[in-house]
Amino acid sequence: MTDHAAQAPGSDHGHRSSGTSSGSGTADAPGDRRLTTRETAELLGVKPETVYAYVSRGQLSSRRVPGGRGSTFDAAEVEALIRRTGRREPAPADGDLVFRTGITLIEPDRYYFRGVDATGLARRYGYEEVAEWLWTGELRPGIRFAAPEAALAAARRAVDALPPHSGSTDRLRVAVIAAAAADPLRFDLSPQAVLSSARSLIPTLVGALPLAGSGSRRAAEAAPATAVTGGGDGAPGADGTRPLARQLWPRLTAQPADEASLAVLDTALTLLIDHDLAASTLAARVAASAHAHPYAVVSAGLGVLEGPLHGAASGLAHQMLTDVVARGSAAPVVADHLRAGRRVPGLGHRLYTGEDPRARTLFALLEEVPRAAGVLAAARDVVSTAARHTPLHANVDLALAVLTVAGGMPAEAGETVFAVSRTAGWIAHALEEYAERPLRMRPIGQYRGPLPPQPLPEPVRSHGPV
């Protein structure tokens, strides 16, 4: 689930408030501040040519600069036009989509949540605490999310109706839809209502997943909890009294949960909450821009996450590490990938010049997990072997794969961890997007089809049953 997202700057992209003076703006008299064409275009979020279109339509008036070639515009008129039309996002020079966001800032060697080092947060606080802080800006130590009984029951019924071969992402997508149907207030997009939905949805998703190693949910929940986890972690309820990582663990593996492994899982959940505008997050923001309710926003994110270039990346790293452990060396496995023209999974990230800070943090914690020692050595063998061919560093997919292989989890477990974790990030972006002008993301297609007018198509003649 490597996040190949374009980095969005944490600044306001050079926007100025028209109520403050500017070094390049001109003032003819006190209270009569004039703006240059460039400043006016920046404030309106349009190209300079569009500013003059506003003039031709009588929506703005201009005044020639004495002795110059440019024009100036009355700041009060520009402010009035912004109030009438809504402030638009500027089109960046390089043509990429850029959004103002206060959630995540990515630098070449680290990343930040709300300006605070994300790895430092993950080491000190749990997933629910960081999610709540990302949503509200308030740190609430010890907070736990709880699933409403009705939503959890509906989600479990829907998940249990799926074919046995269904994957975890299939189950999560169905669980989101069922939870949405159980929430008649889902269309309330006020911040408090969205937060309430988010706090209940995340544990509902976890609680809807079947326990690992069980033939059926009914049989698993009738069995003693210690038979599943060795410590009561497999209790089916999502009552909000246990950290989310402890609730999720028995859905990922039948192996007993030790504290060191749970710490790795909780930290992984926290580190993966957000990573700027990855593909799934962009989809979530598009849905929120259309004022889709938060469940639909999460559904949009899950739909993109399932792509093999995004959410499934850790599964490829899992399979590779399993192969390395079985063959006793990374050399033949890496050689097989290179011979087939495939990238070596779990290596490289275009947003970081060195090792992915998420991977670095998880590797340090995995050192404390005795059963992970062999897999961790295999991962380091992969990095050092591949370095002979290309200097790529480990990314978070490789670190997640160490956790999933060492924990006896299936290859898709990393994708499950990512999806559950990133739900909180999608909600954070939805909260930002709900406060923006709706439907602002409307690209224009470049038509490449046949030029009109074209004749009506002829019907295809049937030659029997198809």
Side-chain angles (χ1 to χ4, degrees):
M1 69 278 313
T2 301
D3 297 307
H4 294 162
Q7 180 177 346
S11 68
D12 201 21
H13 304 310
H15 290 175
R16 294 189 187 95
S17 167
S18 57
T20 60
S21 62
S22 166
S24 56
T26 61
D28 293 351
D32 181 25
R33 194 169 75 86
R34 308 293 296 178
L35 301 172
T36 65
T37 302
R38 180 182 60 81
E39 290 175 324
T40 302
E42 286 181 350
L43 288 168
L44 291 168
V46 298
K47 296 178 179 179
E49 294 84 354
T50 307
V51 174
Y52 291 103
Y54 286 134
V55 174
S56 67
R57 293 196 294 264
Q59 294 176 283
L60 285 178
S61 60
S62 64
R63 185 184 302 170
R64 300 288 295 179
V65 176
R69 297 178 58 188
S71 299
T72 63
F73 302 84
D74 184 83
E77 282 190 1
V78 174
E79 289 176 341
L81 181 59
I82 291 172
R83 287 193 296 270
R84 291 197 305 272
T85 63
R87 181 174 179 165
R88 297 184 181 182
E89 295 298 317
D94 59 5
D96 289 336
L97 264 173
V98 175
F99 297 90
R100 292 174 298 173
T101 176
I103 299 172
T104 301
L105 170 66
I106 299 178
E107 293 188 341
D109 61 348
R110 65 186 65 191
Y111 71 118
Y112 304 86
F113 290 157
R114 288 183 173 268
V116 178
D117 183 82
T119 59
L121 277 170
R123 290 189 189 100
R124 185 165 181 178
Y125 298 105
Y127 171 73
E128 292 104 318
E129 294 165 333
V130 175
E132 183 74 19
W133 178 74
L134 207 61
W135 294 335
T136 67
E138 297 178 357
L139 186 63
R140 299 171 60 187
I143 188 172
R144 298 286 179 261
F145 300 156
E149 290 185 8
L152 184 57
R156 283 177 168 170
R157 285 195 299 269
V159 168
D160 288 347
L162 291 174
H165 63 266
S166 300
S168 63
T169 307
D170 295 324
R171 297 185 177 104
L172 291 173
R173 286 191 286 118
V174 167
V176 171
I177 295 171
D183 183 3
L185 304 180
R186 63 187 179 276
F187 297 104
D188 184 350
L189 302 187
S190 64
Q192 287 308 312
V194 173
L195 289 172
S196 178
S197 297
R199 294 179 187 119
S200 65
L201 173 60
I202 294 173
T204 297
L205 295 180
V206 173
L209 294 173
L211 298 173
S214 60
S216 68
R217 186 189 303 280
R218 186 178 296 108
E221 294 179 355
T226 54
V228 179
T229 66
D233 294 330
D239 56 11
T241 60
R242 294 171 294 133
L244 196 79
R246 191 173 291 273
Q247 297 178 44
L248 179 60
W249 180 271
R251 269 91 185 162
L252 301 175
T253 178
Q255 287 191 9
D258 59 87
E259 292 304 318
S261 297
L262 284 172
V264 178
L265 177 57
D266 190 31
T267 304
L269 286 167
T270 306
L271 292 170
L272 291 167
I273 284 179
D274 188 60
H275 206 235
D276 196 36
L277 288 174
S280 57
T281 303
L282 178 59
R285 285 199 79 127
V286 171
S289 180
H291 282 191
H293 56 71
Y295 300 90
V297 167
V298 172
S299 291
L302 286 171
V304 176
L305 182 69
E306 200 169 16
L309 301 182
H310 191 15
S314 70
L316 299 176
H318 176 108
Q319 294 166 354
M320 177 191 65
L321 280 185
T322 301
D323 197 10
V324 171
V325 171
R327 299 172 71 172
S329 172
V333 179
V334 170
D336 286 346
H337 279 80
L338 297 178
R339 185 181 300 115
R342 300 190 302 265
R343 294 180 57 188
V344 180
L347 299 181
H349 198 296
R350 74 183 185 93
L351 298 183
Y352 298 114
T353 55
E355 188 175 43
D356 186 332
R358 300 169 296 179
R360 184 167 57 246
T361 302
L362 292 177
F363 283 145
L365 288 175
L366 285 162
E367 292 276 7
E368 306 300 320
V369 181
R371 61 184 167 194
V375 188
L376 193 56
R380 288 173 173 155
D381 191 13
V382 168
V383 175
S384 61
T385 301
R388 304 172 198 167
H389 172 73
T390 180
L392 293 176
H393 298 274
N395 62 38
V396 72
D397 299 320
L398 190 63
L400 267 183
V402 173
L403 172 64
T404 57
V405 173
M409 302 174 189
E412 66 175 4
E415 184 177 354
T416 305
V417 173
F418 187 89
V420 170
S421 169
R422 191 56 60 90
T423 297
W426 294 331
I427 294 295
H429 281 272
L431 287 165
E432 279 194 339
E433 195 60 42
Y434 288 147
E436 296 283 354
R437 181 174 60 86
L439 293 174
R440 65 197 180 108
M441 288 169 254
R442 181 60 172 88
I444 298 175
Q446 189 176 53
Y447 181 72
R448 296 292 182 91
L451 293 177
Q454 295 288 324
L456 287 173
E458 294 291 332
V460 177
R461 295 181 179 274
S462 176
H463 297 286
V466 176

